[in-house]
Amino acid sequence: MKKTKSSATINIKSEEVAELQRLVTEGEGHQLEFKRKVSHPEKIVREMIAFANTDGGTILIGVDDNGALAGVKYPDEELLSVREALERHVKQTLVYQDSLISLSENRFILRLDIPPNLKRPILFWIDSKHNESYVRVNDMSVKASDEMIEIIRRKRQKKDIRFYFAEHELALMKYLDKYPFITSKEFQKLTGLNQYVASRKLILLVLANVLKITATEKGDLYSRI
């Protein structure tokens, strides 16, 4: 297949490159991700979903992990790979803006800006029976649990949350007086509740702004606000 450079006129703007360098100096974080190239477009899509489900963010394609501006030679092909992966794996509307920054006559940075999605959670579609989702935590995109997906969905609905602060909730608060966080399994063990009921109680407490939930690669952590 014949390779093509960006269809846009090559126009190197020093102020754009300077702004890019300032952004890269901040390093990867809650709203910024570097990718050397689009080797695995599905991974790019997962990053986009994580930003859309959280506070939005920017993906810079053509930037090494250490912040070096390596650039990509064929940005149109990189972007096409991302678009094809989006079409395969995202059945909802994921809003984003792509732009191109010229480093030289044959090296470019592809920038993807993703705002928080108004209809979150955005799901990564695997097949007709399976999908998953992601959220951004610090400088990582983490797979969202069923509880996290439910919390994101219900927060968007902005309905009043009612719950009873009874025996199990009091036991939880006493636990969090001693320890910084608790997991769902630890809450089950503490109270004797089954998985479903424990999960519902934790979700309600997060929605009521009594607890906050933090996704990690090893599972969700619940802590006081």
Side-chain angles (χ1 to χ4, degrees):
M1 181 176 67
K2 183 179 179 181
K3 295 183 180 292
T4 59
K5 295 181 181 178
S6 171
S7 57
T9 302
I10 296 173
N11 185 11
I12 301 172
K13 297 181 179 180
S14 58
E15 63 272 18
E16 283 188 353
V17 176
E19 180 186 351
L20 172 66
Q21 290 172 330
R22 285 194 295 272
L23 182 62
V24 168
T25 299
E26 296 176 8
E28 290 183 303
H30 185 61
Q31 293 182 286
L32 185 61
E33 177 73 21
F34 302 156
K35 293 294 181 185
R36 175 63 185 82
K37 56 183 178 179
V38 185
S39 301
H40 303 284
E42 292 81 9
K43 290 184 178 181
I44 302 292
V45 171
R46 290 185 175 97
E47 301 283 3
M48 295 174 74
I49 288 173
F51 283 134
N53 282 337
T54 315
D55 298 315
T58 297
I59 301 174
L60 298 175
I61 299 171
V63 179
D64 287 326
D65 288 340
N66 63 6
L69 302 182
V72 294
K73 193 172 183 179
Y74 302 105
D76 283 352
E77 292 186 7
E78 306 277 338
L79 182 57
L80 179 60
S81 295
V82 173
R83 287 175 173 170
E84 289 175 342
L86 277 169
E87 188 173 343
R88 288 194 302 272
H89 295 292
V90 180
K91 305 304 178 181
Q92 302 151 274
T93 300
L94 195 162
V95 177
Y96 71 97
Q97 181 178 352
D98 59 84
S99 56
L100 205 59
I101 302 169
S102 302
L103 300 177
S104 67
E105 291 294 319
N106 61 1
R107 286 289 165 181
F108 308 88
I109 300 295
L110 176 59
R111 175 171 176 162
L112 304 176
D113 289 295
I114 306 98
N117 199 283
L118 296 178
K119 296 185 177 181
R120 63 188 103 172
I122 300 295
L123 304 178
F124 185 92
W125 190 86
I126 299 172
D127 57 41
S128 59
K129 295 183 179 180
H130 302 91
N131 55 56
E132 56 194 26
S133 195
Y134 295 83
V135 292
R136 190 74 175 179
V137 181
N138 298 323
D139 61 349
M140 297 176 61
S141 294
V142 179
K143 185 177 178 179
S145 65
D146 291 341
E147 289 82 5
M148 178 67 82
I149 292 172
E150 179 71 9
I151 288 166
I152 293 171
R153 181 180 289 114
R154 292 179 63 176
K155 275 188 174 181
R156 177 170 59 85
Q157 296 171 352
K158 296 182 179 179
K159 293 183 179 180
D160 291 337
I161 303 299
R162 295 181 181 179
F163 70 95
Y164 295 100
F165 210 91
E167 174 189 357
H168 301 121
E169 289 78 8
L170 288 170
L172 173 61
M173 293 300 107
K174 288 182 179 179
Y175 182 95
L176 292 175
D177 283 339
K178 295 174 62 177
Y179 304 100
F181 57 79
I182 192 169
T183 67
S184 181
K185 287 185 178 180
E186 288 169 342
F187 183 49
Q188 292 172 52
K189 184 177 179 181
L190 177 70
T191 59
L193 295 170
N194 63 40
Q195 181 180 357
Y196 176 80
V197 176
S199 172
R200 294 305 96 184
K201 285 183 177 292
L202 290 170
I203 287 172
L204 284 176
L205 289 168
V206 172
L207 292 171
N209 292 321
V210 175
L211 298 180
K212 68 176 180 180
I213 181 174
T214 302
T216 76
E217 292 183 310
K218 294 183 179 180
D220 296 331
L221 303 178
Y222 295 88
S223 59
R224 287 179 180 270
I225 293 292

